[in-house]
Amino acid sequence: MPAVTETIDTVQSLTEGTYKYGFETDIEMEFAPKGLNEDIVRFISKKKNEPQWLLDWRLKAYAGWLKMEEPLWAAVKYPPIDYQDAFYYAAPKAGPKSLDEVDPELLKTYAKLGIPLKEQAILAGVEGAGESPADSGRMPIAVDAVFDSVSVATSYKERLGKEGIIFCSISEAVQNHPELVRQYLGTVVPQGDNFYAALNSAVFTDGSFVYIPKGVRCPMELSTYFRINAKSTGQFERTLIIADEGSTVSYLEGCTAPMRDENQLHAAVVELVALDDATIKYSTVQNWYPGDAEGRGGIYNFVTKRAQCRGKRSKVSWTQVETGSAITWKYPSCVLLGDDSVGEFYSVAITNNRQQADTGTKMIHVGKRTSSTIVSKGISAGRGQNTYRGLVRVAPTASNARNFTQCDSLLIGDQCGAHTVPYIENRCMTAKTEHEATTSRIAEDQLFYCRQRGMTQEDAVGLIVNGFCREVLKELPMEFAVEAQKLLQISLEGSVG
Amino acid sequence: MLKIEGLTAEVDGKPILNGIDLEVPAGGIHAIMGPNGSGKSTLSYVLAGREGYEITGGSVTFDGIDLLALEPEERAASGLFLAFQYPVELPGVGNALFLRTALNAIRRHRGEPELDAMQFLKVARQRMQALSMPEDMLRRGVNVGFSGGEKKRNEVLQMALLQPRLAILDETDSGLDIDALKIVAEGVNALRAPDFSALVITHYQRLLDYIVPDRVHVLMGGRIVQSGGPELAQQLEASGYASVQAAA
Ligand SMILES: Nc1ncnc2c1ncn2[C@@H]1O[C@H](COP(=O)(O)OP(=O)(O)OP(=O)(O)O)[C@@H](O)[C@H]1O
Ligand SMILES: [Mg+2]
């Protein structure tokens, strides 16, 4: 099916070089003036034709942000960021109204990225499904694409609409479903939650919005591709997903950016709400430009992702494969409010060259018999630094809560570092938490064994690393899993030998 | 096909191979016997190109090419296969994926088209049946939790799939029950051809009843101290290495 073929083609082109998404698209852009102040916030809100309440909400966030300090507790090092030296709004000049009006240059960009925007392509793909046994049972994918500050296209809308599913950009949701946005926005990640969340709340430009009505199983994977293209531009997207009672949804997120010498800021907020018996599966393959081997350039990825399992027996599962970014600061979390609700976090984070990652999760147990599983696989190579930072908090109300945490680190070479910082705060007598941690290296005999069978050093490393990450990769939807496996290998190119 | 001349090698400054001369012609099956610690595995690692062994003298050619100048994967690609005395575990790496990756790497070098998952499964199933291996071994992690005998059979399966031109079997018979021994021997015999050679390292003459060698060499103290026909293995079985030592 073309959607898959495209992904595979991309993956193939990926294997030929280190960072193939480094190209830039020449497109006429509209920028807000550089810098950040109240006027910029008003400008963004006006551009998006927002209601007064949302402007007020943004301004409140901005006022709060001014009083906040950048957090410095993460185990990452970077020079101070000049927040006045960036553009906070960049949009392709010719705003598309429908898929057909999308600038061809933009479509080309997405084609290069292997992202099918054209519904025809995807539909054709559905017909082709089942050709070979490996393809059978694959779901089509609906895509929302965010280019710098704005969402340029959402495919498959009509078919989803029949089921009452809303999948659109958050700007559109503000116009067409203001009541839902107003009801849920900022209820999981409040405006003043942290420095970057406050910044995002003030200047967020676009992102995806999903609402799955009661009892509906979303018939396809929903997915958003984020792309930072313009120079000196920050990307502040905001994603809000609501799964109403008894509904189920699987959502994928992919990200890339051109290669640049400068560092670019990406400060997103993702909020998930799961009501009674609802399930949300959120998968990320993060491949922002990581900077070059000397640590020049790359994306600063400071992201707040949180889910609330509000309903009884609700379930949220985060799966992330973090290969890109110069710095990753990210803790997808679950607040388990509903009795018997379930939170899961499966993570692979790779740091090579000068990349730094401080990532992990928070599982906050409030409801009775809530349970959480954390599986974190950190891989460090080159001079990469990889920190797992996790918090498991069990409130006195969470009787018989369960947590299982497993953190494994794999070191490649002797100039990298792996650190594990697990916090466990258990205030409930009947709750049980378990923590296991291992650190290992790729053994010389493993590499030799593979090479004796004809594999190159790099293929061998890729194979062993993929084996190390298996428990996490098997949580990813099929197409993503293939892509992720290749990505892992590419990310580690030149790390051994 | 394989020509070793005056080969000396050390590990951590300690000489292990002290001048090995050995020639295996195309189509030849040679056995190497020798006491524990005499350098048999070291010789096989040096031939396969493992790191950590310093070649201090001598030469090795394979079809006239300087084998020692090649990377391990290049040696594998040119047809050298080593069945490990202690096969290595790769946790999380599925055996099927491992075997297919290896096979396709070799096929690429030979200029043959790669096999997709389905094509590979077909070939692998055939070979496994011939080796009486249960199919679930494809689904398990490479050698993880395999019994000693299963690991050895997995080595022979790899050999059968990769179709090398020179196979070095390092004590592949150790730890095998009688039936498995026969199966393994059949695996080797099936490869017999005018351009296939093997170096069979073993402690037991029993294996050589099934894989009848052209020559038997005795390795002691990092040197080949005696060579002869298949009857030499029988002689050793009867009187041990002490007699060789006296003769050498
Ligand atoms: N990495 C190493 N460091 C130090 N000594 C080593 C190392 N590798 C091998 N040796 C030594 O080299 C000698 C030869 O070892 P080798 O494994 O080649 O013997 P072998 O003939 O295969 O023995 P066996 O029949 O027990 O398998 C032994 O004395 C061993 O201790
Ligand atoms: Mg040995």
Side-chain angles (χ1 to χ4, degrees), chain A residues 444 449 451-453 470, chain B residues 71 73 82 92 155 158:
Chain A
E444 178 272 333
Y449 191 58
R451 293 178 77 189
Q452 208 305 299
R453 299 304 185 241
R470 217 184 76 88
Chain B
E71 294 293 327
E73 59 269 32
L82 169 62
E155 295 291 288
Q158 294 176 48

Side-chain angles (χ1 to χ4, degrees), chain A residues 226-237:
Chain A
F226 295 106
R227 170 104 182 140
I228 300 179
N229 185 61
K231 220 175 157 155
S232 307
T233 305
Q235 182 153 327
F236 305 93
E237 83 266 358

Side-chain angles (χ1 to χ4, degrees), chain B residues 90-232:
Chain B
L90 303 175
V93 181
N95 209 20
L97 177 65
F98 176 76
L99 296 174
R100 183 156 71 95
T101 309
L103 181 56
N104 280 336
I106 300 280
R107 288 178 70 95
R108 263 201 308 276
H109 280 287
R110 290 190 197 140
E112 294 167 4
E114 296 188 23
L115 300 185
D116 66 26
M118 298 310 282
Q119 294 167 320
F120 167 76
L121 268 184
K122 220 175 128 195
V123 180
R125 283 200 184 117
Q126 275 168 6
R127 303 268 188 247
M128 289 180 85
Q129 261 161 19
L131 292 169
S132 311
M133 283 173 70
E135 219 186 283
D136 80 313
M137 278 171 71
L138 280 181
R139 265 171 265 136
R140 292 162 63 181
V142 178
N143 295 324
V144 178
F146 284 25
S147 75
E150 285 170 343
K151 283 183 182 172
K152 296 299 176 76
R153 260 191 267 186
N154 200 28
E155 295 291 288
V156 176
L157 171 64
Q158 294 176 48
M159 182 178 74
L161 280 168
L162 300 181
Q163 306 250 305
R165 294 173 46 247
L166 172 66
I168 305 169
L169 291 94
D170 192 353
E171 296 197 28
T172 303
D173 54 332
S174 298
L176 289 184
D177 61 45
I178 302 277
D179 293 342
L181 187 77
K182 284 186 197 163
I183 289 166
V184 166
E186 277 162 27
V188 176
N189 289 331
L191 289 174
R192 281 207 178 209
D195 64 345
F196 170 79
S197 319
L199 261 185
V200 181
I201 298 171
T202 181
H203 285 296
Y204 307 104
Q205 115 83 21
R206 201 182 52 197
L207 176 69
L208 305 179
D209 286 341
Y210 301 106
I211 307 175
V212 181
D214 306 306
R215 299 286 289 166
V216 175
H217 308 278
V218 181
L219 187 69
M220 282 175 85
R223 251 187 218 103
I224 288 175
V225 294
Q226 197 177 354
S227 300
E231 71 289 347
L232 178 56

Side-chain angles (χ1 to χ4, degrees), chain A residues 133 444-457 459 463-468 470 485, chain B residues 48 50 71-73 76 80-82 84 88-93 97-98 102 105-106 143 155 158:
Chain A
E444 178 272 333
D445 65 345
Q446 294 178 322
L447 282 178
F448 176 62
Y449 191 58
C450 295
R451 293 178 77 189
Q452 208 305 299
R453 299 304 185 241
M455 296 173 215
T456 62
Q457 179 105 321
D459 285 346
L463 196 71
I464 294 167
V465 165
N466 276 307
F468 173 76
R470 217 184 76 88
Q485 278 181 20
Chain B
R50 187 168 186 167
E71 294 293 327
E73 59 269 32
L80 185 147
F81 178 89
L82 169 62
F84 284 56
V88 179
E89 299 187 1
L90 303 175
V93 181
L97 177 65
F98 176 76
I106 300 280
N143 295 324
E155 295 291 288
Q158 294 176 48

Side-chain angles (χ1 to χ4, degrees), chain A residues 332-344:
Chain A
S333 304
C334 296
V335 184
L336 304 169
L337 298 173
D339 290 349
D340 300 291
S341 60
V342 177
E344 293 175 341

